[in-house]
Amino acid sequence: MTTARPAAVVVLAAGQGTRMRSATSKMLHAIGGRTVLGHVLAASQGLDPERLVVVVRHAREEVAAEAVARVPAVVIADQDDVPGTGRAVQCALERLDAAAHAVAAGAGTASAGDEVGLEGTVVVVAGDVPLIDPETLAELHAQHVAGGHAATVLTAVVPDATGYGRIVRDEHGRVAGIVEHRDATREQLGIREINSSIYVFDAAVLRGALGRLGQDNAQGEVYLTDVLAIARADGGVVGAVQAASALTVEGVNDRVQLAQLGAELNRRTLTRHMLAGVTIVDPGTTWIDVDVELAQDVTILPGTQLHGATTIGTGSTIGPDTTLTDVEVGEGVTVVRTHGSLAVLGDGASVGPFAYLRPGTHLGAHGKIGTFVETKNVEIGEGSKIPHLTYVGDATIGEGTNIGAGSIFVNYDGVRKHRTSVGSHARTGANNKFVAPVT
């Protein structure tokens, strides 16, 4: 049977990624504010699957932890020493079948000896394709279901197919199978339509074919790609959906590809914001993470980087040469040549140039943090100003107050931090040192 939503999405994240030349799994390298695996998990969740499984092996603990952090209900499946994507999917399906049997047994519809397994469609996604999107996966799944296919593969046409598995079609243009680069004939090496390593299978077809896979190939691996040829030989229909862009299904194998896909992801992110009413003066020097939220009529000036969960309100201008990470910016705010993290800026506030906003900075509406000012763990009331050459740490400043130039809030006695409190409508002179605790 098939269902409107996938019975499962299986994300393959067991690879070692040796070409990254890194102690960190390639799944955990980041672009656009998320790990490579995080992007794939986000796209997979867009299908609303009944189960989401991540297959792990190399850097097992770290990869599994990232998967759980992103999707708490994720199922972790461990691949054993048998190499290959076919074995990885088999390990995942065994975990899913065991879970299905346990549910059936709990409901009293199956006993210990009954063969109860997952039913429906199974989507398989490589864990190293960070530009895959929910829309592409949804289209692949929809065409699989509509066509009553045994298996459906997502393909792409590339100018240079070196290293990729080739899509082999019969005389009628239907998918006959997939041949890996090392096993391809001279004629097959000329094929430019490649396998993306993203598929939809009928669970029963997948289960039956996986049990018949061998390792008789150039790499001695259990190829998942062989499932398609088996399904076709058994009389099933194997479909194919071509991705609109080859970059959508390109995997990360080294740091060059990581940078290239990062740049493409950033281009797509900037385009999305500009079409929604954001002015980005110089896209070539602007980097914005995928989870950043920008309201209409925000202006981003050159050399700006916005990271994490940063939000910018309507009519605010950010930059030039500004980096904000997890900063909440209100409406009509100006932030110039500033570095900030975990800060909140009220409506109409002004910051910079050359300001450093450390975590815990809260600037009230129409307040000012000026030139060469550093703040940390500070509450600054509405309309208050810290204009120049000042350090304010662990302090509360009321409304309408002005802190004179060259002030230092001395918050650390060598053992403990202490707070300073300045009331509303106060005026402090230049070059003062407030040795906390002081009011």
Side-chain angles (χ1 to χ4, degrees):
M1 61 176 282
T2 57
T3 58
R5 57 196 284 229
V9 174
V10 176
V11 177
L12 305 183
Q16 189 170 4
T18 55
R19 282 181 280 173
M20 292 295 289
R21 300 285 193 269
S22 176
T24 300
S25 166
K26 73 175 178 178
M27 305 295 169
L28 303 182
H29 284 263
I31 57 173
R34 293 180 190 163
T35 61
V36 170
L37 178 60
H39 285 289
V40 175
L41 291 175
S44 299
Q45 284 183 288
L47 289 177
D48 189 28
E50 295 177 27
R51 297 281 190 278
L52 179 56
V53 187
V54 175
V55 183
V56 297
R57 187 175 182 219
H58 296 286
R60 191 253 183 223
E61 299 304 321
E62 294 84 356
V63 175
E66 167 68 2
V68 172
R70 294 283 177 180
V71 186
V74 71
V75 177
I76 301 298
D78 289 282
Q79 184 173 357
D80 53 25
D81 291 336
V82 179
T85 51
R87 180 54 184 165
V89 173
Q90 193 169 33
C91 292
L93 194 58
E94 288 170 357
R95 285 278 280 121
L96 290 167
D97 283 346
H101 189 280
V103 170
T109 58
S111 59
D114 293 337
E115 292 188 9
V116 176
L118 186 78
E119 296 182 337
T121 53
V122 178
V123 180
V124 178
V125 186
D128 63 351
V129 285
L131 298 192
I132 190 63
D133 55 76
E135 295 76 17
T136 299
L137 292 179
E139 176 64 17
L140 178 69
H141 184 258
Q143 291 206 28
H144 173 89
V145 173
H149 299 165
T152 308
V153 57
L154 184 64
T155 74
V157 174
V158 296
D160 181 3
T162 302
Y164 290 100
R166 308 308 205 276
I167 301 297
V168 179
R169 295 180 179 267
D170 63 19
E171 64 275 12
H172 303 292
R174 295 174 297 206
V175 176
I178 300 173
V179 60
E180 296 299 327
H181 180 90
R182 293 187 183 182
D183 301 301
T185 65
R186 182 182 297 274
E187 181 181 0
Q188 290 168 338
L189 287 174
I191 298 172
R192 292 172 50 232
E193 186 181 16
I194 56 102
N195 170 32
S196 70
S197 300
I198 299 174
Y199 317 86
V200 184
F201 299 101
D202 176 81
V205 171
L206 179 62
R207 185 182 298 107
L210 288 172
R212 294 149 65 184
L213 297 181
Q215 296 173 252
D216 185 19
N217 52 65
Q219 299 186 77
E221 297 182 358
V222 180
Y223 288 158
L224 179 62
T225 51
D226 290 344
V227 170
L228 277 68
I230 292 173
R232 190 171 189 269
D234 289 345
V237 176
V238 176
V241 175
Q242 191 176 116
S245 168
L247 286 173
T248 300
V249 298
E250 185 170 335
V252 173
N253 293 300
D254 55 38
R255 311 228 188 190
V256 174
Q257 287 179 311
L258 183 72
Q260 290 170 340
L261 295 182
E264 172 61 17
L265 177 61
N266 188 62
R267 186 195 66 79
R268 295 182 182 187
T269 300
L270 299 185
T271 298
R272 170 168 56 87
H273 285 301
M274 288 188 285
L275 292 175
V278 174
T279 295
I280 299 176
V281 174
D282 183 11
T285 62
T286 302
W287 290 81
I288 299 178
D289 285 352
V290 294
D291 292 322
V292 169
E293 297 180 9
L294 304 179
Q296 187 173 311
D297 290 324
V298 164
T299 298
I300 306 298
L301 299 180
T304 295
Q305 301 178 52
L306 304 177
H307 298 304
T310 294
T311 62
I312 312 293
T314 300
S316 291
T317 299
I318 310 299
D321 307 323
T322 293
T323 300
L324 302 180
T325 303
D326 300 324
V327 175
E328 180 183 332
V329 179
E331 297 183 359
V333 176
T334 300
V335 183
V336 181
R337 290 192 169 90
T338 292
H339 190 103
S341 61
L342 291 167
V344 177
L345 309 179
D347 294 346
S350 171
V351 178
F354 310 113
Y356 181 23
L357 312 179
R358 293 170 60 189
T361 295
H362 287 247
L363 177 61
H366 308 290
K368 179 176 182 177
I369 293 174
T371 309
F372 298 111
V373 174
E374 178 181 346
T375 58
K376 178 199 74 96
N377 195 23
V378 57
E379 295 280 347
I380 304 168
E382 181 175 350
S384 288
K385 299 178 181 180
I386 309 172
H388 345 265
L389 302 163
T390 294
Y391 169 72
V392 183
D394 298 294
T396 300
I397 298 172
E399 299 178 0
T401 286
N402 188 86
I403 305 299
S407 298
I408 299 174
F409 285 61
V410 185
N411 58 332
Y412 183 48
D413 64 8
V415 178
R416 291 174 297 175
K417 297 287 180 71
H418 303 277
R419 271 191 97 73
T420 293
S421 178
V422 179
S424 296
H425 308 291
R427 298 290 183 269
T428 73
N431 299 320
N432 281 322
K433 292 181 176 61
F434 301 93
V435 183
V438 63
T439 299

